[in-house]
Amino acid sequence: MCGIVGYIGKQQAPSILIDGLTKLEYRGYDSAGVAIFDGSDINVLKTKGRLSNLIKLVIEHPVSGTLGIGHTRWATHGAPSDINAHPHMSEDSEIAVVHNGIIENYMEIKEELLKSGWHFVSETDSEIIACIIDKYYKDGMSFEDAVFKAVARLEGSYALGIICKDCPEKLIAVRKGSPLVIGKGNGENFIASDIPAILNYTREVYFLEEDEIAVITEDSIAIYDKDRNAVNRDIYHVTWDIEAAEKSGYAHFMLKEIHEQPKIVRETILKRVPESGGIDLDNIKLGKEELDNIDRIYVVACGTAYYAGLIGKHLIEKICRIPVISEVASEFRYKDPILDERTLVIVVSQSGETADTLEALRISKRHGARVLAIVNAVGSSIAREADDVFYILAGPEIAVASTKAYSAQVAAMYILTCHIALTLGKMSEEEFEVIRAELYSLPSKIEVILNNKSVEKKLAAKYKDVRNVFFIGRGLDYLVSQEGSLKLKEIAYLHSEAYAAGELKHGPIAMIDENTLVVAIAAQEDLIEKTISNIKEVKARGANTIAIAMKGNTKIADVADDVIYIPRTMGILAPILANIPDQLFAYYMAINLGTDIDKPRNLAKSVTVE
Ligand code: F6R
């Protein structure tokens, strides 16, 4: 949600900033801008629309300079426009700021500044940051002092990059509630919202923690806490390559990431379920003693991560017989959940930066609950603040619509469930051996589905004019339906709903007619007869139907108009396979509809505001 990049050194800043912003465009893409210090003034170039508009602007109006900040925006306060785009400057162009997050008390500060004669040009909350820093600077404080004083007044969440015309030897970075990394170079330094933005230049990064401010020159990085005590931070060496964040010949990141799933699921499983035997949760403290002290589990997350969490809830309850409550994080944080030291809270997040999930984690910890985070982004806020982290090893996920992270999160849920069940004696070693063998076979089964993707492509062509879609299923199939429906909404902008198949006749069946497509997930074979009845009910009302079922299930072909077969597996492991056709179907529907698949309208990859 908004991407920030900053550079100080000897190279030309504009190209480094633009390069960084191209890696961050997934965080916001309704406007973009840069502020460059040219040796005497700060020049701002910014424009509404995609980064390509900014690139055009920079070519038409070349600026040079070795200090600069850049931003790609996902609008919160004020519509996407040239004026509302970042960087924002103080009135006399003394201070320039890029901001990711929301300033909750900006009206109060704005009114105060208006009374003292300040003028504002944008509708954003961010502009007041440049102005309040400038006010303190004009009152006689140093640039650094002015930033510390201004930041102490800001409420909300923010990552900031700040430069000052009179102090071109400094770039200041601030972090509260929104991520920021500092890249350490040789005679140059960088800031960015995410590592890929600076990975072409350095692999050595510092993660800025909550309420920290970094004062950066080309040769030094000094980090301070909010009381201005110097902080010693270990450097983190990035081991993955930039190629992992590039398209490698695929038309879209989403398609690339869909195709990475066999590899990722294999790696996630093999790391935790080694062929040498047992389950290796590494340093995660979830042994018999800890589990005996747990009465209840919460699974808390947002969006796709929440739907992966639902699979975990279902399996832990079914197999481990521990009550599990699932909550979307935005609800959890405001409902005074029942939490104590006998509660385990499992938070799930690809980015590790989702504001609501992070806050849910903090609330849980404040109430004494133990927090286990299932996270993809290494070193992210959620990973750092949780008591234990289960990394899913999916690598950078760039497409806004999450695909590979979901599969890896579901694999993590399988592993976690088996671990808890084995530890508590709810699963025998023999039962686990059967599951283990089946877990190992999942990656090649995903490959089979991907090799047959022409099926989903043809179906998307057949149903390209459909505008209303229902995803239905029972048990685990219903949980998969929810993720399938979300994918279609997100990237094809189609109205789609997920319904428990048995619930249809309690209302929504009234909407079914010959213009409706119903996708029935029917991989839970113990419930297949029931699902078949539900398919018949919607067909009788004119709906077109696609079923997703395990190979060999011929009965379903007599009922549904089209069937997508997935390889056979155990019912509890079917969600990871049954979801892949939904991903492919959504992808090809979006292709037919000509949407921007990797950057769907109104969405951002990392939702760092609530
Ligand atoms: C859906 C999607 C979102 C995210 C949600 C949580 O494709 O990407 O629904 O799943 O915003 O994000 P993370 O997992 O980063 O916490």
Side-chain angles (χ1 to χ4, degrees):
M1 191 140 287
C2 297
I4 287 179
V5 63
Y7 175 78
I8 186 162
K10 292 188 179 55
Q11 299 191 61
Q12 280 302 311
S15 55
I16 293 176
L17 298 180
I18 297 281
D19 183 38
L21 291 176
T22 53
K23 310 287 186 321
L24 294 178
E25 215 189 352
Y26 70 90
R27 300 179 71 89
Y29 31 85
D30 58 45
S31 53
V34 289
I36 311 286
F37 178 71
D38 67 4
S40 51
D41 287 310
I42 297 176
N43 295 290
V44 169
L45 293 171
K46 55 182 188 175
T47 174
K48 185 181 161 185
R50 294 289 162 96
L51 193 59
S52 49
N53 295 1
L54 177 67
I55 295 172
K56 222 168 117 211
L57 195 66
V58 172
I59 293 170
E60 284 164 2
H61 305 273
V63 275
S64 61
T66 57
L67 167 71
I69 48 180
H71 189 269
T72 175
R73 179 170 187 244
W74 187 87
T76 56
H77 293 68
S81 68
D82 291 355
I83 295 277
N84 289 337
H86 295 220
H88 287 285
M89 300 265 261
S90 60
E91 221 174 310
D92 59 359
S93 308
E94 184 73 48
I95 306 280
V97 167
V98 284
H99 169 216
N100 168 20
I102 290 178
I103 304 301
E104 285 164 1
N105 60 338
Y106 85 100
M107 273 315 290
E108 172 198 319
I109 298 176
K110 189 167 182 172
E111 272 158 25
E112 177 189 316
L113 289 166
L114 282 168
K115 272 189 208 138
S116 332
W118 289 76
H119 298 98
F120 294 87
V121 291
S122 79
E123 303 156 283
T124 67
D125 53 341
S126 312
E127 189 182 359
I128 64 108
I129 306 169
C131 295
I132 187 87
I133 295 171
D134 197 24
K135 176 184 172 343
Y136 294 138
Y137 183 66
K138 297 228 158 50
D139 285 350
M141 287 186 165
S142 70
F143 171 41
E144 230 172 287
D145 289 348
V147 170
F148 272 89
K149 179 151 184 192
V151 165
R153 295 204 49 197
L154 302 178
E155 287 167 20
S157 67
Y158 43 85
L160 307 173
I162 312 162
I163 57 174
C164 171
K165 187 172 96 170
D166 296 341
C167 310
E169 71 289 355
K170 280 181 189 157
L171 163 64
I172 299 189
V174 183
R175 182 221 154 116
K176 184 184 180 203
S178 292
L180 208 59
V181 294
I182 304 169
K184 184 178 176 314
N186 193 1
E188 58 183 359
N189 288 311
F190 309 80
I191 61 168
S193 300
D194 201 357
I195 295 170
I198 51 177
L199 206 50
N200 275 336
Y201 310 97
T202 179
R203 292 182 163 273
E204 310 300 317
V205 303
Y206 296 102
F207 293 106
L208 217 50
E209 298 278 2
E210 282 302 273
D211 291 312
E212 286 181 348
I213 298 184
V215 179
I216 302 164
T217 69
E218 57 182 38
D219 297 311
S220 66
I221 296 168
I223 302 178
Y224 302 96
D225 67 14
K226 64 174 184 304
D227 301 320
R228 224 162 164 177
N229 302 307
V231 173
N232 258 331
R233 176 69 27 79
D234 288 340
I235 206 149
Y236 175 80
H237 180 76
V238 182
T239 50
W240 45 271
D241 284 320
I242 194 73
E243 293 75 56
E246 296 194 331
K247 276 191 220 158
S248 328
Y250 285 97
H252 296 94
F253 279 111
M254 183 179 177
L255 193 61
K256 176 195 171 219
E257 288 160 7
I258 287 174
H259 279 267
E260 282 173 351
Q261 292 176 110
K263 174 173 167 279
I264 284 154
V265 170
R266 184 175 295 118
E267 282 170 6
T268 300
I269 291 174
L270 280 177
K271 173 151 183 2
R272 306 292 181 177
V273 189
E275 281 163 315
S276 51
I279 294 184
D280 179 8
L281 285 194
D282 221 355
N283 293 325
I284 299 175
K285 287 178 251 12
L286 212 55
K288 175 98 173 83
E289 200 185 321
E290 286 86 8
L291 287 169
D292 280 342
N293 283 322
I294 287 169
D295 292 337
R296 122 177 40 86
I297 299 177
Y298 275 93
V299 176
V300 185
C302 302
T304 289
Y306 173 70
Y307 295 137
L310 290 183
I311 308 276
K313 167 192 158 63
H314 184 104
L315 296 178
I316 295 170
E317 283 192 330
K318 185 183 173 88
I319 299 173
C320 311
R321 311 310 291 168
I322 303 175
V324 185
I325 305 150
S326 51
E327 290 280 2
V328 287
S330 52
E331 289 297 314
F332 177 92
R333 62 184 289 187
Y334 293 115
K335 66 182 300 192
D336 196 9
I338 304 167
L339 295 162
D340 57 26
E341 47 296 329
R342 295 187 66 83
T343 314
L344 172 68
V345 178
I346 302 176
V347 293
V348 190
S349 176
Q350 186 286 125
S351 63
E353 302 293 350
T354 302
D356 285 322
T357 312
L358 182 58
E359 189 52 27
L361 173 157
R362 289 177 179 159
I363 291 170
S364 305
K365 285 186 74 172
R366 277 205 293 279
H367 286 80
R370 176 166 199 85
V371 178
L372 166 65
I374 298 182
V375 173
N376 188 32
V378 176
S380 55
S381 305
I382 291 177
R384 281 176 289 138
E385 293 191 29
D387 295 303
D388 290 296
V389 188
F390 186 132
Y391 280 117
I392 56 169
L393 308 176
E397 193 180 56
I398 304 295
V400 165
S402 182
T403 52
K404 62 177 182 174
Y406 174 86
S407 290
Q409 286 157 353
V410 172
M413 291 301 175
Y414 294 153
I415 295 163
L416 203 57
T417 305
C418 289
H419 167 79
I420 298 174
L422 285 167
T423 310
L424 295 178
K426 306 281 184 189
M427 181 187 282
S428 68
E429 287 296 337
E430 294 69 34
E431 284 166 326
F432 174 59
E433 284 312 311
V434 178
I435 297 176
R436 167 211 285 284
E438 204 48 42
L439 279 173
Y440 290 157
S441 75
L442 288 177
S444 57
K445 290 179 179 173
I446 298 175
E447 255 154 33
V448 170
I449 302 172
L450 295 176
N451 290 340
N452 286 327
K453 62 178 185 285
S454 56
V455 175
E456 288 82 2
K457 195 173 178 180
K458 273 192 205 127
L459 289 174
K462 177 172 173 183
Y463 293 115
K464 70 178 191 326
D465 296 325
V466 159
R467 291 294 170 268
N468 283 310
V469 184
F470 276 84
F471 284 77
I472 62 168
R474 287 172 178 262
L476 286 166
D477 287 339
Y478 168 47
L479 309 183
V480 175
S481 301
Q482 296 180 55
E483 171 58 9
S485 170
L486 177 65
K487 272 313 76 101
L488 200 61
K489 288 185 187 95
E490 271 187 292
I491 60 163
Y493 315 152
L494 284 178
H495 169 249
S496 101
E497 294 196 39
Y499 250 90
E503 188 66 12
L504 268 189
K505 57 174 86 63
H506 297 286
I509 203 163
M511 293 173 69
I512 304 283
D513 63 19
E514 55 288 345
N515 298 316
T516 319
L517 172 64
V518 175
V519 179
I521 321 281
Q524 298 301 311
E525 296 205 323
D526 52 336
L527 296 165
I528 199 98
E529 296 300 339
K530 308 273 176 207
T531 309
I532 285 178
S533 302
N534 299 126
I535 298 175
K536 284 183 182 160
E537 285 161 10
V538 294
K539 268 195 71 87
R541 274 124 190 123
N544 303 288
T545 52
I546 299 177
I548 298 174
M550 283 206 247
K551 202 161 173 18
N553 191 322
T554 46
K555 271 193 202 163
I556 202 122
D558 299 335
V559 194
D561 297 310
D562 296 284
V563 183
I564 304 174
Y565 282 111
I566 56 170
R568 297 198 70 76
T569 188
M570 305 168 77
I572 56 166
L573 302 186
I576 209 166
L577 300 185
N579 180 54
I580 311 281
D582 285 347
Q583 296 174 342
L584 290 165
F585 183 66
Y587 176 79
Y588 289 117
M589 285 296 270
I591 291 272
N592 293 335
L593 293 165
T595 60
D596 190 342
I597 292 182
D598 283 336
K599 299 188 196 87
R601 67 183 180 203
N602 307 338
L603 296 177
K605 181 70 183 161
S606 183
V607 187
T608 52
V609 293
E610 69 168 297

